[in-house]
């Protein structure tokens, strides 16, 4: 019995759903911009885990390539996000998202 | 079952050897420092001061365990532990020698031959900064936090050049497994002859990653008291210092394995030794190469002054990174041309 | 095998919960690192060793170091984070639970379960991924590198915005 035959694919679906929902919860209840960005990363990771699991179950590497691309984009996203936070912190000396209400159009 | 016994005994052996070498590296450092400065150095404990590391260790254990009042207690203890763990993890992929045959069983002198060994190295190296960052932060001391910030930006900057130097090496060897990289270097085909610039970049970056002079801005005592370990005492300080020497040992081992042929030496197949004894001689040669690199680390430390922080950043981003990219492109171009 | 999965999953979920419900930002970052390591462990179990290592290098080695770096630079531990009103929190948790129930029920109610052909096991090694990445997915790969370059340029531009104003 290999690992993939022992573990039903539903388990990975459920695990990924749980992590995704925890991340969503974090995005909704935290006010700190850094925490929100971290929770978004967590949601991305939940989806990536699902893709890798499916790549294992379907024996298809395309999903792993997709995960690779997601990681690249996530790194770029975090770099841009953090520099925006640091500039906003310089301006308003807070990284509370509710203090940044004036950013909306 | 036999597999696990073999692996566990190898892990224990490698761990002990690493610790002993790190211990004696401290003595070597003090002896060489004394030599460079025309002193005698430690000579009281045992003959020629050979028991000095033991005395130091005992002293560390008996010092007062002190945690600052406003420090984060959990993170304060976690910092040195992480430093130590990250330093020891790299030993897992280093091939220490040829396979040896014991009682008809072939035993690989490598804990794990990962097919992504070089990437594993890069990953573990990038984790090394957490110990410093967390310890510096948890001390609740301005100097320590400054040191943690310095360490992290330095690590990230020099990792880039290091990674690009490794990519050029991988382009040349065509494999990510350290074992295969070492095996491809037999007969004097050492990678340093094909990747001289890559080796130079890797060497400079390993000084930075091991936080050694001239890149030890994180513990720069003239500006930051003691840097991230200002508030540390007893064995927790010992862990940090120890981790530095282990890092030095590991960096030397990685450089010898990647660029200087690992356990190969010229004439390995012409002396007519049996396989097992040839493998053991190979291990000895590997450790000689490591010792030479460690001497180089010590030599640099007691010869060169340390960089200023802006010089460090300029060197990393404006000199090493473009050179590494140029080296990578050149290597790729050559390997395309030569097929 | 099953125990490995369960232990890693428990670690993943617990550290994810820690990220959301810890007040101290440093602990939140550290538990996110643990979470990423657990997910990398899952990748190893799923025979995607390359992605596992990349996960450690990119997420634990670069992204989280950046987070920690910014946290230390802003010195955020001094100010306690103002929390949202309690009623909002309850609603948010309720919404998330609903989403979770919906997702899980989709998993169980959808009729055709995922079944796979028992082929020879393949591992997601570099030698398998490389040709795919550089032949079939060469254009997306180049596009991501352009995206990355523009992100770097953007970061440098945003970061040096204040400096230029000061000089003039």
């Amino acid at each position: 019995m290999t690992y993939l035959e022992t573990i039903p694919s539903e388990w990975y679906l459920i695990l990924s759903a749980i992590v995704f929902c925890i991340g969503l919860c974090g995005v909704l209840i935290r006010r700190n911009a850094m925490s929100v960005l971290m929770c978004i990363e967590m949601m991305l990771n939940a989806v990536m885990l699902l893709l890798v699991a499916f790549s294992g179950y379907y024996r298809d590497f395309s999903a792993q390539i997709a995960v690779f691309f997601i990681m690249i984009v996530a790194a770029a996203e975090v770099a841009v996000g953090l520099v925006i936070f640091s500039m906003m912190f310089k301006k308003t000396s807070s990284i509370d998202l509710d203090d940044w209400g004036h950013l909306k159009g | 079952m036999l597999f696990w016994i073999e692996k566990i005994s190898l892990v224990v052996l490698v761990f002990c050897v690493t610790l002993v070498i790190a211990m004696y590296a401290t003595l070597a450092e003090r002896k060489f420092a004394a030599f460079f400065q025309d002193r005698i150095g430690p000579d009281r404990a045992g003959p020629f001061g050979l028991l000095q590391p033991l005395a130091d260790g005992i002293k560390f254990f008996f010092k007062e365990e002190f945690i600052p009042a406003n420090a984060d207690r959990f993170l304060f203890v976690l910092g040195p532990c992480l430093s130590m763990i990250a330093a020891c993890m790299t030993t897992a992929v280093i091939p220490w020698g040829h396979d040896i045959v014991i009682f008809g069983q072939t035993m690989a002198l490598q804990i794990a031959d990962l097919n992504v060994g070089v990437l594993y190295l890069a990953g573990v190296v990038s984790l090394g900064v957490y110990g410093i960052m967390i310890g510096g932060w948890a001390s609740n001391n301005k100097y320590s936090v400054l040191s943690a910030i310095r360490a992290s930006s330095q690590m990230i900057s020099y990792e880039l050049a290091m990674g690009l130097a490794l990519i050029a090496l991988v382009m040349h060897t065509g494999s990510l497994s350290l074992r295969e990289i070492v095996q491809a270097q037999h007969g004097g085909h050492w990678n340093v002859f094909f990747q001289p610039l890559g080796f130079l970049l890797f060497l400079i970056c390993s000084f930075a990653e091991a936080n050694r002079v001239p890149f030890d801005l994180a513990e720069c005592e003239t500006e930051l008291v003691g840097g991230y370990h200002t508030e540390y005492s007893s064995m927790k300080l010992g862990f940090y210092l120890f981790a530095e020497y282990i890092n030095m040992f590991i960096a030397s081992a990685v450089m010898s394995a990647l660029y200087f042929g690992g356990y190969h030496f010229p004439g390995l197949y012409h002396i007519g030794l049996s396989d097992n004894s040839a493998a053991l001689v190979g291990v000895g040669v590997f450790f000689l190469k490591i010792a030479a690199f460690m001497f180089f680390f010590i030599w640099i430390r007691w010869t060169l002054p340390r960089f200023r922080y802006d010089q460090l950043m300029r060197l990393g981003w404006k000199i090493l990174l473009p050179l590494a990219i140029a080296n990578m492109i050149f290597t790729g171009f050559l390997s395309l041309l030569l097929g | 095998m099953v125990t490995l999965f369960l232990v890693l999953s428990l670690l993943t979920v617990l550290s994810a919960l820690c990220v959301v419900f810890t007040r101290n930002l440093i602990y939140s970052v550290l538990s996110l690192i643990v979470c990423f390591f657990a997910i990398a462990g899952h990748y190893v179990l799923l025979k995607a060793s390359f992605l596992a290592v990349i996960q450690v290098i990119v997420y634990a080695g670069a992204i989280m170091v950046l987070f920690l770096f910014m946290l230390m630079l802003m010195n955020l531990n001094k100010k306690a984070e103002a929390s949202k009103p309690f009623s909002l929190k309850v609603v948010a948790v309720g919404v998330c639970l609903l989403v979770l129930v919906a997702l899980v029920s989709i998993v169980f109610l959808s009729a055709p379960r995922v079944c796979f052909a028992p082929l020879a096991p393949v591992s997601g090694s570099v030698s398998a991924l490389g040709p795919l990445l550089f032949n079939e997915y060469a254009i997306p790969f180049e596009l991501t590198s352009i995206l990355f370059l523009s992100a770097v340029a953007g970061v440098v531009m945003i970061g040096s915005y204040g400096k230029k104003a000061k000089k003039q």
Side-chain angles (χ1 to χ4, degrees):
Chain A
M1 288 284 269
T2 61
Y3 177 73
L4 289 178
E5 285 162 2
T6 332
I7 308 288
S9 60
E10 284 87 350
W11 292 17
Y12 271 107
L13 279 161
I14 291 170
L15 172 66
S16 162
I18 292 174
V19 175
F20 185 84
C21 289
I22 293 173
L24 182 64
C25 188
V27 171
L28 291 179
I29 67 172
R30 297 300 291 255
R31 283 176 60 173
N32 190 316
M34 297 270 259
S35 310
V36 171
L37 193 58
M38 285 198 293
C39 291
I40 292 175
E41 287 306 310
M42 202 157 62
M43 289 162 77
L44 272 176
N45 262 273
V47 176
M48 275 157 39
L49 175 64
L50 196 59
L51 278 172
V52 174
F54 277 142
S55 137
Y57 285 107
Y58 284 108
R59 322 249 170 199
D60 187 352
F61 285 131
S62 305
Q64 294 196 16
I65 303 277
V67 171
F68 186 70
F69 288 145
I70 295 176
M71 278 182 191
I72 298 175
V73 176
E77 167 225 320
V78 166
V80 175
L82 283 180
V83 80
I84 291 176
F85 291 167
S86 87
M87 294 317 276
M88 285 303 289
F89 184 73
K90 260 189 204 165
K91 257 199 162 65
T92 63
S93 64
S94 123
I95 56 163
D96 197 323
L97 281 176
D98 290 4
D99 292 349
W100 294 353
H102 60 277
L103 276 182
K104 64 170 180 257
Chain B
M1 194 58 204
L2 205 62
F3 172 80
W4 288 110
I5 293 174
E6 180 193 316
K7 286 297 173 200
I8 289 172
S9 52
L10 194 60
V11 168
V12 172
L13 184 70
V14 167
F15 189 64
C16 293
V17 167
T18 309
L19 290 189
V20 168
I21 286 185
M23 265 171 80
Y24 275 90
T26 61
L27 178 66
E29 172 121 289
R30 292 171 68 177
K31 277 288 189 190
F32 280 120
F35 173 71
F36 289 133
Q37 297 170 344
D38 211 7
R39 295 184 281 119
I40 296 176
D43 67 339
R44 297 289 127 169
F48 307 109
L50 277 180
L51 295 179
Q52 186 65 38
L54 220 63
D56 285 344
I58 292 169
K59 190 180 154 195
F60 269 133
F61 272 114
F62 284 103
K63 284 280 176 184
E64 188 191 350
E65 192 91 7
F66 182 76
I67 297 183
N70 286 325
D72 189 317
R73 297 182 73 89
F74 175 65
L75 294 183
F76 193 76
V77 179
L78 186 69
C81 301
L82 278 183
S83 250
M84 199 71 174
I85 292 172
C88 290
M89 263 165 72
T90 329
T91 51
V93 291
I94 293 173
W96 303 99
H98 264 298
D99 293 353
I100 52 175
V101 181
I102 304 174
F103 309 124
Q105 292 280 331
T106 311
M107 184 173 166
L109 288 181
Q110 184 185 21
I111 294 170
D113 182 23
L114 300 182
N115 59 2
V116 284
V118 174
L119 289 175
Y120 174 88
L121 274 183
V124 175
V125 162
S126 62
L127 295 182
V129 70
Y130 280 118
I132 295 176
M133 286 187 87
I134 290 172
W137 170 267
S139 305
N140 198 20
N141 175 328
K142 280 193 184 62
Y143 296 115
S144 303
V145 173
L146 277 177
S147 149
I149 290 174
R150 277 182 173 194
S152 56
S153 49
Q154 173 184 331
M155 285 282 191
I156 288 186
S157 315
Y158 280 78
E159 243 166 51
L160 278 178
M162 192 180 204
L164 288 173
L166 278 179
I167 286 178
L169 179 77
V170 169
M171 277 180 172
H172 170 68
T173 57
S175 169
L176 283 173
S177 147
L178 264 89
R179 190 176 188 70
E180 282 172 28
I181 289 178
V182 171
Q183 271 165 359
Q185 298 181 62
H186 71 86
H189 296 290
W190 292 358
N191 284 333
V192 65
F193 301 130
F194 303 99
Q195 285 284 328
L197 182 59
F199 167 68
L200 197 64
L201 291 169
F202 193 89
L203 181 73
I204 296 173
C205 293
S206 19
F207 272 90
E209 300 286 335
N211 267 320
R212 292 284 297 187
V213 175
F215 299 104
D216 68 337
L217 272 291
E219 45 187 302
C220 172
E221 61 273 343
T222 44
E223 296 164 19
L224 297 177
V225 193
Y228 57 92
H229 54 55
T230 304
E231 301 283 357
Y232 279 89
S233 65
S234 86
M235 207 52 208
K236 293 199 287 300
L237 174 67
F239 262 35
Y240 269 129
L241 302 182
F242 230 64
E244 182 185 327
Y245 285 97
I246 295 178
N247 272 330
M248 200 167 102
F249 168 63
I250 296 299
S252 308
V254 168
M255 277 189 288
S256 337
L258 288 181
Y259 289 97
F260 278 82
Y263 44 79
H264 291 291
F265 58 93
L268 172 65
Y269 301 106
H270 303 293
I271 340 174
L273 292 170
S274 70
D275 281 355
N276 268 357
S277 41
L280 288 180
V281 171
V283 175
V285 168
F286 188 47
F287 275 95
L288 270 184
K289 289 175 185 171
I290 294 175
F293 272 114
M294 287 177 80
F295 170 70
F296 186 66
F297 269 97
I298 292 169
W299 188 13
I300 291 283
R301 169 160 182 186
W302 297 101
T303 312
L304 292 184
R306 93 173 36 97
F307 279 112
R308 227 171 44 220
Y309 200 68
D310 59 322
Q311 292 171 331
L312 175 97
M313 281 294 146
R314 198 182 312 136
L315 178 70
W317 286 98
K318 294 192 177 166
I319 301 173
L320 292 187
L321 189 62
L323 272 181
I325 293 175
N327 182 44
M328 189 182 74
I329 292 175
F330 183 67
T331 311
F333 193 66
L334 266 193
S335 48
L336 255 186
L337 271 187
L338 306 175
Chain C
M1 290 293 189
V2 179
T3 21
L4 261 180
F5 174 85
L6 288 179
V7 168
L8 274 179
S9 308
L10 202 66
L11 194 62
T12 315
V13 172
L14 283 184
S15 52
L17 283 174
C18 266
V19 174
V20 176
F21 294 106
T22 318
R23 312 284 302 162
N24 193 333
L25 264 177
I26 292 276
Y27 279 95
S28 163
V29 169
L30 292 181
S31 34
L32 191 56
I33 294 169
V34 174
C35 181
F36 287 159
F37 265 100
I39 290 178
H42 276 300
Y43 291 174
V44 171
L45 288 181
L46 288 164
K47 292 238 158 65
S49 53
F50 175 67
L51 279 183
V53 178
I54 293 292
Q55 164 99 357
V56 170
I57 295 178
V58 172
Y59 273 104
I63 292 184
M64 297 321 285
V65 173
L66 275 186
F67 270 107
L68 216 51
F69 180 74
M70 294 297 290
L71 228 53
M72 289 179 180
L73 216 54
M74 296 181 187
N75 205 14
L76 288 175
N77 65 332
K78 295 284 177 279
K79 294 168 212 149
E81 181 192 345
S83 59
K84 296 219 172 190
F86 185 70
S87 55
L88 211 67
K89 272 187 180 171
V90 172
V91 173
V93 172
V95 167
C96 292
L97 284 180
L98 275 182
V99 173
L100 183 63
V101 168
L103 286 175
V104 172
S105 58
I106 290 172
V107 172
F108 281 112
L109 296 181
S110 56
R113 298 277 174 87
V114 173
C115 54
F116 55 90
L119 298 169
V122 275
S123 64
S125 70
V126 192
S127 49
L129 282 176
L132 201 60
L133 185 61
F134 288 107
N135 293 322
E136 221 172 305
Y137 293 92
I139 293 173
F141 182 75
E142 296 300 329
L143 284 180
T144 44
S145 42
I146 292 173
L147 173 86
F148 214 81
L149 201 61
S150 50
V152 169
V155 166
V156 171
M157 201 204 73
I158 299 175
S160 60
Y161 181 69
K163 265 184 215 156
K164 218 180 259 171
K166 216 179 271 174
K167 263 182 203 163
Q168 280 166 355

